Amino acid sequence: MIQPQSITFFIDRCLGNRRIVEMLRSAGVTIKIHDKHFDKGAQDVDWLPQVGKMGKVVLTKDGKISNNLLERIAVARAQVKMFIFAS
């Protein structure tokens, strides 16, 4: 029997508040938090490729990522899997 692949979600700084983190963890979701892996001032074009290489799925509400050409290129090149939540 093939075991399903586990998914780890990477919580972007803009979602990294305690409530969301606690809700996801209590639901049994494996998460990593931006501020525990990168400086608070880290630019999206710098951390997104690293998270993509780790194979994590990004959760964010930063809609600017989809509008910024350099950030879109960084996401595409690193094959980042991402959900961008609308307000």
Short mmCIF file of all heavy atoms in Angstrom, two decimals, residues 9-62:
data_model
loop_
_atom_site.label_atom_id
_atom_site.label_comp_id
_atom_site.label_asym_id
_atom_site.label_seq_id
_atom_site.Cartn_x
_atom_site.Cartn_y
_atom_site.Cartn_z
N PHE A 9 3.22 22.94 5.46
CA PHE A 9 2.86 24.28 5.02
C PHE A 9 3.81 25.28 5.65
O PHE A 9 4.15 25.19 6.84
CB PHE A 9 1.42 24.61 5.41
CG PHE A 9 0.41 23.81 4.63
CD1 PHE A 9 -0.13 22.65 5.15
CD2 PHE A 9 0.01 24.23 3.37
CE1 PHE A 9 -1.05 21.92 4.43
CE2 PHE A 9 -0.91 23.50 2.64
CZ PHE A 9 -1.43 22.34 3.18
N PHE A 10 4.23 26.24 4.85
CA PHE A 10 5.11 27.32 5.29
C PHE A 10 4.25 28.56 5.45
O PHE A 10 3.68 29.06 4.47
CB PHE A 10 6.23 27.56 4.27
CG PHE A 10 7.25 28.54 4.75
CD1 PHE A 10 8.35 28.10 5.47
CD2 PHE A 10 7.09 29.89 4.51
CE1 PHE A 10 9.29 29.01 5.92
CE2 PHE A 10 8.02 30.80 4.96
CZ PHE A 10 9.13 30.36 5.67
N ILE A 11 4.15 29.05 6.67
CA ILE A 11 3.29 30.19 6.97
C ILE A 11 4.08 31.48 6.77
O ILE A 11 5.04 31.76 7.48
CB ILE A 11 2.77 30.12 8.43
CG1 ILE A 11 2.15 28.75 8.74
CG2 ILE A 11 1.80 31.26 8.70
CD1 ILE A 11 0.99 28.38 7.88
N ASP A 12 3.65 32.27 5.80
CA ASP A 12 4.29 33.56 5.52
C ASP A 12 4.12 34.47 6.73
O ASP A 12 3.19 34.34 7.52
CB ASP A 12 3.65 34.20 4.28
CG ASP A 12 4.39 35.44 3.79
OD1 ASP A 12 5.42 35.83 4.38
OD2 ASP A 12 3.92 36.04 2.80
N ARG A 13 5.00 35.40 6.82
CA ARG A 13 5.02 36.35 7.93
C ARG A 13 3.68 37.04 8.13
O ARG A 13 3.22 37.25 9.24
CB ARG A 13 6.11 37.38 7.65
CG ARG A 13 6.31 38.37 8.69
CD ARG A 13 7.72 38.96 8.57
NE ARG A 13 8.16 39.25 9.89
CZ ARG A 13 7.73 40.31 10.56
NH1 ARG A 13 6.91 41.15 10.01
NH2 ARG A 13 8.13 40.50 11.80
N CYS A 14 3.00 37.37 7.03
CA CYS A 14 1.73 38.09 7.13
C CYS A 14 0.61 37.22 7.72
O CYS A 14 -0.41 37.74 8.16
CB CYS A 14 1.31 38.66 5.77
SG CYS A 14 1.12 37.43 4.48
N LEU A 15 0.79 35.91 7.76
CA LEU A 15 -0.19 35.00 8.37
C LEU A 15 0.32 34.41 9.68
O LEU A 15 -0.40 33.66 10.32
CB LEU A 15 -0.51 33.83 7.43
CG LEU A 15 -1.34 34.12 6.21
CD1 LEU A 15 -1.52 32.85 5.39
CD2 LEU A 15 -2.70 34.67 6.60
N GLY A 16 1.53 34.73 10.05
CA GLY A 16 2.19 34.06 11.16
C GLY A 16 1.72 34.45 12.54
O GLY A 16 2.50 34.38 13.48
N ASN A 17 0.47 34.83 12.69
CA ASN A 17 0.01 35.15 14.03
C ASN A 17 -0.36 33.88 14.79
O ASN A 17 -0.57 32.82 14.22
CB ASN A 17 -1.14 36.15 14.00
CG ASN A 17 -2.40 35.59 13.38
OD1 ASN A 17 -2.84 34.51 13.74
ND2 ASN A 17 -2.99 36.32 12.47
N ARG A 18 -0.44 33.97 16.06
CA ARG A 18 -0.65 32.80 16.91
C ARG A 18 -1.94 32.06 16.62
O ARG A 18 -1.98 30.83 16.65
CB ARG A 18 -0.66 33.22 18.38
CG ARG A 18 0.69 33.53 18.90
CD ARG A 18 0.61 33.80 20.36
NE ARG A 18 1.89 34.25 20.85
CZ ARG A 18 2.14 34.48 22.11
NH1 ARG A 18 1.18 34.33 23.00
NH2 ARG A 18 3.32 34.87 22.48
N ARG A 19 -2.99 32.77 16.35
CA ARG A 19 -4.29 32.13 16.16
C ARG A 19 -4.27 31.14 14.99
O ARG A 19 -4.71 30.00 15.12
CB ARG A 19 -5.37 33.18 15.94
CG ARG A 19 -6.74 32.59 15.83
CD ARG A 19 -7.79 33.65 15.80
NE ARG A 19 -9.09 33.02 15.71
CZ ARG A 19 -10.16 33.60 15.27
NH1 ARG A 19 -10.11 34.86 14.89
NH2 ARG A 19 -11.30 32.96 15.21
N ILE A 20 -3.76 31.57 13.86
CA ILE A 20 -3.71 30.69 12.69
C ILE A 20 -2.77 29.52 12.94
O ILE A 20 -3.10 28.37 12.63
CB ILE A 20 -3.27 31.49 11.44
CG1 ILE A 20 -4.38 32.46 11.06
CG2 ILE A 20 -2.91 30.57 10.29
CD1 ILE A 20 -4.03 33.41 9.96
N VAL A 21 -1.62 29.80 13.52
CA VAL A 21 -0.65 28.74 13.81
C VAL A 21 -1.27 27.71 14.76
O VAL A 21 -1.18 26.50 14.52
CB VAL A 21 0.64 29.35 14.41
CG1 VAL A 21 1.54 28.27 14.98
CG2 VAL A 21 1.37 30.17 13.35
N GLU A 22 -1.92 28.16 15.82
CA GLU A 22 -2.52 27.24 16.78
C GLU A 22 -3.66 26.44 16.16
O GLU A 22 -3.78 25.23 16.42
CB GLU A 22 -3.03 28.02 17.99
CG GLU A 22 -1.92 28.56 18.86
CD GLU A 22 -2.40 29.48 19.97
OE1 GLU A 22 -3.63 29.66 20.12
OE2 GLU A 22 -1.55 30.04 20.67
N MET A 23 -4.47 27.08 15.32
CA MET A 23 -5.57 26.37 14.68
C MET A 23 -5.04 25.26 13.77
O MET A 23 -5.56 24.14 13.79
CB MET A 23 -6.44 27.35 13.88
CG MET A 23 -7.31 28.23 14.74
SD MET A 23 -8.22 29.51 13.83
CE MET A 23 -8.88 28.65 12.44
N LEU A 24 -4.04 25.57 12.97
CA LEU A 24 -3.49 24.58 12.05
C LEU A 24 -2.82 23.43 12.81
O LEU A 24 -3.02 22.27 12.49
CB LEU A 24 -2.51 25.23 11.08
CG LEU A 24 -3.13 26.17 10.04
CD1 LEU A 24 -2.05 26.91 9.28
CD2 LEU A 24 -4.02 25.40 9.09
N ARG A 25 -2.06 23.77 13.82
CA ARG A 25 -1.39 22.72 14.60
C ARG A 25 -2.40 21.84 15.33
O ARG A 25 -2.23 20.62 15.38
CB ARG A 25 -0.42 23.34 15.60
CG ARG A 25 0.87 23.78 14.94
CD ARG A 25 1.94 24.11 15.94
NE ARG A 25 3.18 24.38 15.24
CZ ARG A 25 4.03 25.33 15.58
NH1 ARG A 25 3.80 26.10 16.62
NH2 ARG A 25 5.14 25.52 14.88
N SER A 26 -3.45 22.44 15.87
CA SER A 26 -4.46 21.64 16.58
C SER A 26 -5.22 20.72 15.63
O SER A 26 -5.75 19.69 16.04
CB SER A 26 -5.43 22.54 17.34
OG SER A 26 -6.24 23.27 16.46
N ALA A 27 -5.23 21.08 14.34
CA ALA A 27 -5.87 20.23 13.33
C ALA A 27 -4.91 19.15 12.81
O ALA A 27 -5.28 18.37 11.94
CB ALA A 27 -6.37 21.09 12.17
N GLY A 28 -3.69 19.15 13.35
CA GLY A 28 -2.72 18.13 12.95
C GLY A 28 -1.91 18.48 11.71
O GLY A 28 -1.24 17.63 11.14
N VAL A 29 -1.96 19.73 11.31
CA VAL A 29 -1.23 20.18 10.12
C VAL A 29 0.22 20.48 10.51
O VAL A 29 0.48 21.13 11.52
CB VAL A 29 -1.90 21.45 9.53
CG1 VAL A 29 -1.11 21.99 8.36
CG2 VAL A 29 -3.34 21.15 9.14
N THR A 30 1.16 20.01 9.70
CA THR A 30 2.57 20.30 9.92
C THR A 30 2.89 21.64 9.29
O THR A 30 2.61 21.86 8.11
CB THR A 30 3.46 19.21 9.29
OG1 THR A 30 3.06 17.94 9.80
CG2 THR A 30 4.93 19.45 9.58
N ILE A 31 3.46 22.54 10.09
CA ILE A 31 3.75 23.88 9.60
C ILE A 31 5.16 24.31 9.98
O ILE A 31 5.75 23.82 10.93
CB ILE A 31 2.74 24.93 10.12
CG1 ILE A 31 2.80 25.02 11.64
CG2 ILE A 31 1.34 24.63 9.64
CD1 ILE A 31 2.03 26.19 12.20
N LYS A 32 5.66 25.24 9.20
CA LYS A 32 6.90 25.97 9.49
C LYS A 32 6.53 27.44 9.44
O LYS A 32 5.70 27.86 8.63
CB LYS A 32 7.98 25.67 8.44
CG LYS A 32 8.37 24.22 8.34
CD LYS A 32 9.11 23.77 9.56
CE LYS A 32 9.53 22.31 9.40
NZ LYS A 32 10.05 21.75 10.61
N ILE A 33 7.16 28.23 10.29
CA ILE A 33 6.82 29.65 10.41
C ILE A 33 7.97 30.50 9.89
O ILE A 33 9.13 30.28 10.24
CB ILE A 33 6.50 30.00 11.87
CG1 ILE A 33 5.33 29.13 12.34
CG2 ILE A 33 6.17 31.47 12.02
CD1 ILE A 33 5.08 29.18 13.82
N HIS A 34 7.62 31.48 9.07
CA HIS A 34 8.60 32.36 8.42
C HIS A 34 9.65 32.88 9.39
O HIS A 34 10.86 32.75 9.14
CB HIS A 34 7.86 33.53 7.77
CG HIS A 34 8.76 34.50 7.08
ND1 HIS A 34 9.44 35.49 7.77
CD2 HIS A 34 9.10 34.65 5.79
CE1 HIS A 34 10.14 36.20 6.91
NE2 HIS A 34 9.96 35.71 5.71
N ASP A 35 9.23 33.49 10.49
CA ASP A 35 10.17 34.16 11.39
C ASP A 35 11.11 33.20 12.11
O ASP A 35 12.10 33.63 12.68
CB ASP A 35 9.43 35.02 12.40
CG ASP A 35 8.83 36.26 11.75
OD1 ASP A 35 9.09 36.51 10.56
OD2 ASP A 35 8.09 37.00 12.43
N LYS A 36 10.82 31.91 12.09
CA LYS A 36 11.73 30.94 12.71
C LYS A 36 12.81 30.48 11.73
O LYS A 36 13.74 29.80 12.11
CB LYS A 36 10.95 29.76 13.24
CG LYS A 36 10.02 30.17 14.35
CD LYS A 36 9.64 29.03 15.21
CE LYS A 36 8.71 29.59 16.27
NZ LYS A 36 8.82 28.98 17.52
N HIS A 37 12.66 30.86 10.44
CA HIS A 37 13.61 30.43 9.42
C HIS A 37 14.30 31.58 8.69
O HIS A 37 15.37 31.38 8.12
CB HIS A 37 12.89 29.55 8.38
CG HIS A 37 12.36 28.29 8.97
ND1 HIS A 37 13.13 27.15 9.12
CD2 HIS A 37 11.15 27.99 9.49
CE1 HIS A 37 12.40 26.21 9.69
NE2 HIS A 37 11.20 26.69 9.92
N PHE A 38 13.68 32.75 8.72
CA PHE A 38 14.22 33.90 7.99
C PHE A 38 14.11 35.16 8.84
O PHE A 38 13.26 35.25 9.73
CB PHE A 38 13.45 34.12 6.67
CG PHE A 38 13.51 32.94 5.75
CD1 PHE A 38 12.45 32.05 5.66
CD2 PHE A 38 14.63 32.70 4.97
CE1 PHE A 38 12.50 30.95 4.82
CE2 PHE A 38 14.70 31.60 4.12
CZ PHE A 38 13.63 30.72 4.05
N ASP A 39 14.96 36.15 8.53
CA ASP A 39 14.86 37.44 9.20
C ASP A 39 13.52 38.07 8.89
O ASP A 39 12.94 37.84 7.82
CB ASP A 39 15.97 38.39 8.71
CG ASP A 39 17.35 37.94 9.17
OD1 ASP A 39 17.44 37.26 10.21
OD2 ASP A 39 18.32 38.28 8.48
N LYS A 40 13.05 38.90 9.80
CA LYS A 40 11.76 39.57 9.60
C LYS A 40 11.76 40.46 8.37
O LYS A 40 10.75 40.64 7.74
CB LYS A 40 11.38 40.37 10.84
CG LYS A 40 11.07 39.49 12.02
CD LYS A 40 10.69 40.27 13.24
CE LYS A 40 10.40 39.29 14.36
NZ LYS A 40 10.01 39.95 15.58
N GLY A 41 12.91 40.99 8.01
CA GLY A 41 13.00 41.86 6.85
C GLY A 41 13.36 41.15 5.55
O GLY A 41 13.63 41.79 4.54
N ALA A 42 13.35 39.83 5.57
CA ALA A 42 13.73 39.07 4.37
C ALA A 42 12.80 39.39 3.21
O ALA A 42 11.58 39.45 3.37
CB ALA A 42 13.70 37.57 4.66
N GLN A 43 13.39 39.62 2.06
CA GLN A 43 12.62 39.94 0.86
C GLN A 43 12.01 38.67 0.28
O GLN A 43 12.61 37.59 0.32
CB GLN A 43 13.53 40.59 -0.19
CG GLN A 43 14.15 41.90 0.25
CD GLN A 43 13.10 42.97 0.47
OE1 GLN A 43 12.26 43.21 -0.37
NE2 GLN A 43 13.15 43.59 1.64
N ASP A 44 10.81 38.80 -0.27
CA ASP A 44 10.12 37.64 -0.86
C ASP A 44 10.98 36.94 -1.91
O ASP A 44 11.00 35.72 -1.98
CB ASP A 44 8.79 38.07 -1.47
CG ASP A 44 7.77 38.51 -0.43
OD1 ASP A 44 7.94 38.16 0.76
OD2 ASP A 44 6.81 39.20 -0.79
N VAL A 45 11.68 37.72 -2.73
CA VAL A 45 12.51 37.11 -3.79
C VAL A 45 13.66 36.29 -3.22
O VAL A 45 14.22 35.45 -3.93
CB VAL A 45 13.05 38.16 -4.79
CG1 VAL A 45 11.93 38.81 -5.57
CG2 VAL A 45 13.90 39.20 -4.08
N ASP A 46 13.99 36.49 -1.95
CA ASP A 46 15.07 35.73 -1.32
C ASP A 46 14.56 34.46 -0.64
O ASP A 46 15.15 33.39 -0.78
CB ASP A 46 15.82 36.60 -0.31
CG ASP A 46 16.52 37.77 -0.98
OD1 ASP A 46 16.99 37.61 -2.13
OD2 ASP A 46 16.59 38.84 -0.36
N TRP A 47 13.48 34.56 0.12
CA TRP A 47 13.02 33.40 0.87
C TRP A 47 12.13 32.45 0.06
O TRP A 47 12.14 31.24 0.31
CB TRP A 47 12.36 33.78 2.20
CG TRP A 47 11.05 34.50 2.12
CD1 TRP A 47 10.84 35.84 2.19
CD2 TRP A 47 9.75 33.91 2.00
NE1 TRP A 47 9.51 36.13 2.10
CE2 TRP A 47 8.81 34.96 1.99
CE3 TRP A 47 9.29 32.60 1.90
CZ2 TRP A 47 7.44 34.74 1.88
CZ3 TRP A 47 7.92 32.38 1.79
CH2 TRP A 47 7.02 33.43 1.79
N LEU A 48 11.38 32.95 -0.90
CA LEU A 48 10.50 32.08 -1.67
C LEU A 48 11.24 30.94 -2.38
O LEU A 48 10.81 29.78 -2.29
CB LEU A 48 9.68 32.90 -2.68
CG LEU A 48 8.49 33.65 -2.11
CD1 LEU A 48 7.97 34.68 -3.10
CD2 LEU A 48 7.39 32.68 -1.70
N PRO A 49 12.36 31.21 -3.06
CA PRO A 49 13.09 30.11 -3.70
C PRO A 49 13.60 29.07 -2.70
O PRO A 49 13.59 27.87 -2.98
CB PRO A 49 14.25 30.79 -4.42
CG PRO A 49 13.80 32.19 -4.63
CD PRO A 49 12.94 32.51 -3.44
N GLN A 50 14.01 29.51 -1.54
CA GLN A 50 14.50 28.58 -0.53
C GLN A 50 13.39 27.66 -0.03
O GLN A 50 13.59 26.45 0.15
CB GLN A 50 15.13 29.34 0.64
CG GLN A 50 16.41 30.06 0.24
CD GLN A 50 17.01 30.79 1.41
OE1 GLN A 50 17.16 30.21 2.48
NE2 GLN A 50 17.36 32.05 1.21
N VAL A 51 12.21 28.23 0.17
CA VAL A 51 11.06 27.43 0.61
C VAL A 51 10.64 26.47 -0.50
O VAL A 51 10.30 25.32 -0.24
CB VAL A 51 9.90 28.34 1.05
CG1 VAL A 51 8.65 27.53 1.32
CG2 VAL A 51 10.29 29.15 2.28
N GLY A 52 10.72 26.94 -1.74
CA GLY A 52 10.40 26.07 -2.87
C GLY A 52 11.33 24.87 -2.94
O GLY A 52 10.90 23.74 -3.18
N LYS A 53 12.62 25.10 -2.70
CA LYS A 53 13.59 24.00 -2.72
C LYS A 53 13.34 23.01 -1.59
O LYS A 53 13.64 21.83 -1.72
CB LYS A 53 15.02 24.56 -2.62
CG LYS A 53 15.46 25.26 -3.88
CD LYS A 53 16.82 25.87 -3.72
CE LYS A 53 17.17 26.72 -4.93
NZ LYS A 53 18.41 27.47 -4.74
N MET A 54 12.78 23.49 -0.47
CA MET A 54 12.46 22.61 0.65
C MET A 54 11.20 21.78 0.38
O MET A 54 10.91 20.85 1.12
CB MET A 54 12.24 23.43 1.93
CG MET A 54 13.49 24.05 2.50
SD MET A 54 13.17 24.78 4.12
CE MET A 54 12.68 26.43 3.68
N GLY A 55 10.45 22.17 -0.65
CA GLY A 55 9.24 21.43 -0.99
C GLY A 55 8.04 21.77 -0.12
O GLY A 55 7.07 21.02 -0.09
N LYS A 56 8.11 22.88 0.58
CA LYS A 56 6.99 23.29 1.44
C LYS A 56 5.95 24.02 0.60
O LYS A 56 6.24 24.60 -0.43
CB LYS A 56 7.47 24.22 2.56
CG LYS A 56 8.67 23.74 3.33
CD LYS A 56 8.43 22.44 4.04
CE LYS A 56 9.63 22.04 4.86
NZ LYS A 56 9.94 20.64 4.81
N VAL A 57 4.72 24.03 1.08
CA VAL A 57 3.63 24.74 0.43
C VAL A 57 3.41 26.05 1.18
O VAL A 57 3.13 26.05 2.38
CB VAL A 57 2.33 23.91 0.42
CG1 VAL A 57 1.19 24.69 -0.21
CG2 VAL A 57 2.55 22.59 -0.30
N VAL A 58 3.54 27.17 0.49
CA VAL A 58 3.43 28.49 1.10
C VAL A 58 1.97 28.87 1.27
O VAL A 58 1.17 28.74 0.34
CB VAL A 58 4.16 29.55 0.25
CG1 VAL A 58 3.94 30.95 0.82
CG2 VAL A 58 5.64 29.24 0.14
N LEU A 59 1.65 29.36 2.46
CA LEU A 59 0.35 29.98 2.72
C LEU A 59 0.62 31.45 2.99
O LEU A 59 1.43 31.79 3.85
CB LEU A 59 -0.33 29.35 3.94
CG LEU A 59 -0.64 27.86 3.87
CD1 LEU A 59 -1.30 27.40 5.17
CD2 LEU A 59 -1.53 27.54 2.68
N THR A 60 -0.05 32.32 2.26
CA THR A 60 0.17 33.76 2.41
C THR A 60 -1.11 34.52 2.08
O THR A 60 -2.03 33.99 1.47
CB THR A 60 1.32 34.23 1.48
OG1 THR A 60 1.59 35.62 1.75
CG2 THR A 60 0.99 34.05 0.02
N LYS A 61 -1.14 35.77 2.49
CA LYS A 61 -2.20 36.67 2.04
C LYS A 61 -1.59 37.87 1.32
O LYS A 61 -2.25 38.84 1.04
CB LYS A 61 -3.08 37.10 3.20
CG LYS A 61 -2.41 37.94 4.25
CD LYS A 61 -3.39 38.36 5.32
CE LYS A 61 -2.70 39.26 6.34
NZ LYS A 61 -3.62 39.69 7.39
N ASP A 62 -0.31 37.74 0.98
CA ASP A 62 0.43 38.80 0.29
C ASP A 62 0.13 38.74 -1.21
O ASP A 62 0.84 38.09 -1.97
CB ASP A 62 1.92 38.64 0.55
CG ASP A 62 2.77 39.74 -0.06
OD1 ASP A 62 2.20 40.61 -0.76
OD2 ASP A 62 3.99 39.73 0.14
#
